[in-house]
Amino acid sequence: MANLVLFGPPGAGKGTQSERLIEKYGFIHLSTGDILRGEIKAQTTRGLEAKKLMDAGDLVPDDVVIGMIEHKIETAVGAKGFIFDGFPRTVAQAEALDSALESHGLAIDAMIALAVPDDELRTRLLERGKTSGRADDQNLDKINNRISVYKDETMPVAEFYSGQNKYKGVHGVGSIDSIFSDICSVIEDL
Ligand code: ADP
């Protein structure tokens, strides 16, 4: 079984596609956004510190998310395969992920990158904001900030994995089913 990075801008559909992939292949899902929201709910010190940054659409510091992910990998070694969703979001995180996996004799097999135009992202996020209760989905300025943080800090992660020949692009517009089937083809060709 493979270890995958599911990559793409905010609103690309990573969470939706992850759910289907878990159901079909039994992956362990590691979403830093979900873990951080869990910490906010539980009112941990880490959660309270992260909340302001998340609400504004800024990134939480690398050491915080790297520590969380290392811990989750430790507790799930022996699993069928991981899907990393919303992580790595910086090149420093990608390097840390490589070393964390390597220390368990594991590696990333592919980055599956969902491509979606900015206008479509804005529409999807504002729509999700009506029901998600997420402060970062409800305001256009925050959404635009997330998209620009993605371009400045996160897009270089795609180059990091292309340099390892692991980058697989998937068109992220269309029906959820058709995008899912494109992702499955990539996985089955690995
Ligand atoms: P989305 O992909 O819709 O932006 P996420 O749930 O992945 O949403 O992330 C929400 C917020 O959580 C981000 O805007 C950021 O503040 C924080 N976050 C999540 N993952 C990371 C990460 N790997 N590094 C830094 N911050 C992160």
Side-chain angles (χ1 to χ4, degrees):
M1 180 59 78
N3 297 309
L4 306 175
V5 170
L6 192 55
F7 187 77
K14 302 183 294 287
T16 308
Q17 297 296 339
S18 292
E19 274 177 29
R20 303 220 165 179
L21 291 167
I22 295 157
E23 201 184 312
K24 177 160 177 166
Y25 298 104
F27 288 114
I28 297 276
H29 182 216
L30 294 183
S31 156
T32 40
D34 286 352
I35 300 168
L36 287 166
R37 280 185 291 274
E39 302 241 358
I40 292 175
K41 213 167 169 194
Q43 302 201 317
T44 65
T45 316
R46 183 153 66 191
L48 296 174
E49 281 170 10
K51 187 174 185 323
K52 272 196 198 127
L53 292 164
M54 291 174 71
D55 283 351
D58 290 323
L59 293 185
V60 171
D62 283 339
D63 55 340
V64 173
V65 284
I66 290 169
M68 288 180 348
I69 283 284
E70 282 173 347
H71 174 72
K72 294 278 177 184
I73 292 174
E74 304 269 314
T75 54
V77 164
K80 278 189 165 178
F82 293 105
I83 297 188
F84 296 94
D85 161 4
F87 179 91
R89 253 177 162 92
T90 62
V91 171
Q93 292 180 17
E95 286 166 347
L97 177 60
D98 271 1
S99 0
L101 289 173
E102 200 184 322
S103 68
H104 297 288
L106 300 171
I108 290 296
D109 298 287
M111 162 193 263
I112 298 178
L114 293 170
V116 177
D118 291 358
D119 278 347
E120 170 77 14
L121 299 173
R122 290 188 192 97
T123 310
R124 289 185 189 178
L125 291 169
L126 285 170
E127 193 55 38
R128 183 170 80 183
K130 293 180 187 165
T131 53
S132 69
R134 281 178 56 171
D136 60 346
D137 283 346
Q138 290 174 24
N139 169 303
L140 198 52
D141 288 342
K142 291 178 182 178
I143 290 175
N144 284 332
N145 184 45
R146 284 158 71 197
I147 295 174
S148 73
V149 168
Y150 171 78
K151 290 188 176 156
D152 296 344
E153 300 185 50
T154 305
M155 293 242 301
V157 176
E159 283 154 44
F160 178 87
Y161 288 104
S162 329
Q164 299 184 359
N165 272 325
K166 292 176 180 169
Y167 178 93
K168 313 278 174 191
V170 170
H171 186 53
V173 183
S175 72
I176 292 175
D177 284 347
S178 69
I179 298 164
F180 181 62
S181 104
D182 290 348
I183 296 175
C184 293
S185 306
V186 170
I187 295 174
E188 277 151 35
D189 284 348
L190 285 176

